[in-house]
Amino acid sequence: MRDVAVYLESGVAMASDDGTAAWVFDLDLWGRCGQGDTTDQALAALLASLPEPVTLTVAERIHGDERAFERDLLPASAEEIAVTAAILDRTRAQTIHLVCSLPREVLDAEVPARRLPRFARWRTIRQIAWHIADTESRYYLPSLGLPSRPRAANLLGELEQSARHVSDTLAALPPDLVRRDGGTVWTSVKLLRRLAWHE
């Protein structure tokens, strides 16, 4: 059975306020992340998301929100950039199709039983779509010191313009950027894996 290195970060505000995320860096699994309140939950979620049975070996552990693994500090490869761009193209097309095909009452319906962290303000499909573009263009990129862009007037325009902005940024991305700011760390590789995962 294939053995896959897994990278664990605990004390992160992602799917929950103080959870654990389990990441893989293998190129064919790029963008995969399992999350849970505990390490066991995060590992189980990661295993469930993988296309084939594997064993997981913990390669690195970090604690605290918006830190970076030692693996993130390596220069990004051309393949990592290309795979990220391909994932973003595919997922953005799916998001745009979903937004365009759903009736307004579905786009704006809240699901009260859905568990979200305290900081989450996205409770409908429409709000989630806005959140995706807000995060990539006005959180992830600026966290690495890259240019952000203002919001478009409407959601479809925002999804298209944000995708172009991110694509153009990745096409010129220096592979070895590192930005440390108030205890947070962002790198070229961290940006790529977070972009590949988020949508």
Side-chain angles (χ1 to χ4, degrees), residues 45-66:
L46 175 62
L47 280 171
S49 78
L50 299 180
E52 62 182 305
V54 301
T55 59
L56 298 174
T57 300
V58 176
E60 190 176 347
R61 294 176 188 262
I62 57 175
H63 181 81
D65 210 21
E66 294 303 7

Side-chain angles (χ1 to χ4, degrees), residues 137-179:
S137 280
R138 288 173 288 282
Y139 176 47
Y140 288 172
L141 295 182
S143 291
L144 191 52
L146 298 167
S148 65
R149 51 170 296 283
R151 255 187 174 201
N154 63 73
L155 178 56
L156 185 56
E158 175 62 18
L159 289 170
E160 292 170 343
Q161 292 171 37
S162 184
R164 276 195 303 273
H165 177 66
V166 172
S167 178
D168 292 345
T169 301
L170 293 188
L173 180 70
D176 54 355
L177 288 180
V178 178
R179 185 172 192 221

